[in-house]
Amino acid sequence: MLTFELVTPEGVKFTEEAYEVLLPTPNGQIGILPHHMPLVTLAVPGVIGIRRRADDPDSRIEHFATGGGFVEVDGKRLRLLADTAEHAEDIDELRAKEALERAQELQQTAEDHVALADATALIERNLARLKVTEIKRRHNRM
Ligand code: ATP
């Protein structure tokens, strides 16, 4: 087992043992299992998956949406220092949809690179939230 610590400026969002943690990185989704080699990498906006036990099926994976951050794997500990992270149960879908629309407008009207990058990050963060609510809906139907 490994200990997954998910920390945001708001505080510790998760700190428990897990068998496998799936993380969005610039090179795509990676899976961290116990005894992973030491690693430092970026996380990008996307979906975090936590498989608590080796025999848990995919339908039992717990999901968080994140806006991205830094990942550190060392020994039996995986730490993600993230700008934002919300558990599937805590995501307000309407808020994410409205924020996505506002961000898309901001992207259209951005007048410099900084404004464009901010709008793009907002879009990605809210798309990740909506992806998690969609996964949750799919699992509830099964
Ligand atoms: P909004 O424009 O919807 O108010 P924001 O841009 O202020 O959002 P962020 O900066 O991404 O939002 O996040 C601010 C805080 O609010 C973070 O703690 C984040 O986890 C939380 N948060 C943002 N959107 C949602 C959401 N749709 N559901 C649950 N928590 C959210």
Side-chain angles (χ1 to χ4, degrees):
M1 298 295 267
L2 56 88
T3 306
F4 177 41
E5 291 178 17
L6 176 58
V7 182
T8 74
E10 281 196 344
V12 178
K13 294 280 175 151
F14 188 95
T15 171
E16 280 180 60
E17 302 267 292
Y19 167 72
E20 181 183 24
V21 179
L22 302 154
L23 296 171
T25 78
N27 297 319
Q29 204 80 3
I30 60 169
I32 306 288
L33 290 161
H35 310 300
H36 194 285
M37 62 176 182
L39 170 79
V40 172
T41 185
L42 282 178
V44 294
V47 179
I48 300 167
I50 304 167
R51 195 190 304 274
R52 288 182 183 263
R53 295 156 44 111
D55 55 0
D56 278 348
D58 287 358
S59 59
R60 293 197 68 168
I61 291 178
E62 251 175 78
H63 294 95
F64 280 81
T66 183
F70 294 100
V71 179
E72 183 188 22
V73 183
D74 116 46
K76 285 165 48 154
R77 193 174 63 179
L78 161 62
R79 198 187 265 157
L80 171 56
L81 199 56
D83 55 4
T84 60
E86 302 95 33
H87 190 271
E89 298 297 331
D90 298 328
I91 295 175
D92 178 339
E93 186 170 19
L94 183 62
R95 178 173 166 189
K97 279 187 177 157
E98 288 174 354
L100 176 63
E101 281 171 21
R102 278 197 308 276
Q104 284 165 337
E105 276 174 36
L106 281 176
Q107 193 184 47
Q108 295 300 318
T109 55
E111 286 180 351
D112 58 53
H113 289 302
V114 176
L116 188 61
D118 285 351
T120 304
L122 258 180
I123 288 174
E124 288 176 351
R125 219 156 53 221
N126 284 291
L127 283 176
R129 290 177 178 130
L130 295 173
K131 207 161 164 186
V132 170
T133 59
E134 186 51 43
I135 293 169
K136 189 177 126 194
R137 206 168 4 252
R138 210 180 324 133
H139 285 169
N140 288 345
R141 254 191 262 124
M142 289 196 312

